[in-house]
Amino acid sequence: MTKGNSDTTSLIKQVITARKTSKVLLPLELRAEQQALWKTEHLRCVEQMLQCAAVAPFHKRADERHCQGTLNAPMPWRFHVLDPQACNKLLEYLESRVQSETQTEDEAKWSRAWQSKIKNMIAASGVLIQVTWLPDTPHEFNLKNIEHVAAAGAAVQNLLLAAQSHDWLSYWSSGGILRDEEVFDYLGICSQEQLLGSVFLSPQAHPSARVIDGGLRDERGELDGWVRWVST
Ligand SMILES: Cc1cc2nc3c(=O)[nH]c(=O)nc-3n(C[C@H](O)[C@H](O)[C@H](O)COP(=O)(O)O)c2cc1C
């Protein structure tokens, strides 16, 4: 690549500015049709997106206790990827928890979650990625942990931009019930990891899906609302 190549610069700007939150909601009954849109090459696209996430900057190694198993990379984040089959099983799991729930248990958290949009977002998804950051001890919001969160955030943004470069829809969500420790347990995510977000990625929306923009999308205003050129 030529340094400062104007085609590359404008392409990158185009991808960055085109990236947007797309919350895609699909009725559960249409999940099978959504899945039929999924092709094996889509998994290769996801792998390429993950390679882009991998090259995000990070300052400090993750604490050793997070590096004992097969996920032993030094970066302070982990990505747990649910492919379409795993998303189906997650839907089944969530529904089964509703059916076995007693009314009083945790204020019926499973029923409330099932009534939320989460099932429709999973139904609309291609893949769901549970992104965690890896806290260091002590569990304080000290410089090291702030930088771990920042690095994990950079990895997510790389993922979103890579998804955009493939023209995929993406949505970074706080996760709702997907933060729950029982869901972590079900997904095999270590309880010492902290959810940074549940990222929904889809190569295309089903024609009957509802697509909702991010709530703060148009609230940014001009640069002078948050940029100050320092003159002393
Ligand atoms: C850490 C993080 C968590 C988010 N969680 C949610 C969420 O739970 N629900 C939601 O509607 N949007 C969520 N968003 C997306 C924002 O709503 C969205 O980025 C914002 O409205 C700006 O829109 P844009 O992404 O299209 O530029 C989250 C974004 C970030 C960075």
Side-chain angles (χ1 to χ4, degrees), residues 14-81:
Q14 204 179 306
V15 172
I16 291 173
T17 51
R19 191 231 34 100
K20 64 193 277 270
T21 293
S22 296
K23 281 185 254 184
V24 193
L25 306 175
L26 188 70
L28 275 186
E29 312 82 78
L30 297 176
R31 171 66 184 157
E33 287 183 23
Q34 171 69 27
Q35 234 188 319
L37 302 173
W38 182 264
K39 307 277 180 286
T40 42
E41 67 248 31
H42 290 138
L43 267 191
R44 281 197 291 280
C45 293
V46 174
E47 274 164 20
Q48 287 171 24
M49 294 171 202
L50 293 167
Q51 294 293 354
C52 290
V55 293
F58 68 110
H59 187 199
K60 297 273 166 63
R61 288 175 174 279
D63 190 281
E64 267 304 306
R65 79 203 151 96
H66 296 295
C67 305
Q68 304 300 321
T70 48
L71 299 185
N72 57 7
M75 294 89 84
W77 63 73
R78 297 288 181 258
F79 283 41
H80 303 269
V81 184

Side-chain angles (χ1 to χ4, degrees), residues 7 12-13 27 30 36 43 55 58 71 77 79 86 100 102 116-117 119 124 126 128 146 153 155 167 169 178 219 222:
D7 287 347
I12 290 174
K13 186 181 170 198
L30 297 176
L43 267 191
V55 293
F58 68 110
L71 299 185
W77 63 73
F79 283 41
S100 61
T102 57
S116 76
K117 296 189 179 82
K119 61 179 182 304
L128 162 62
I146 288 171
D167 275 329
L169 300 127
L178 302 178
E219 306 239 346
E222 301 303 324

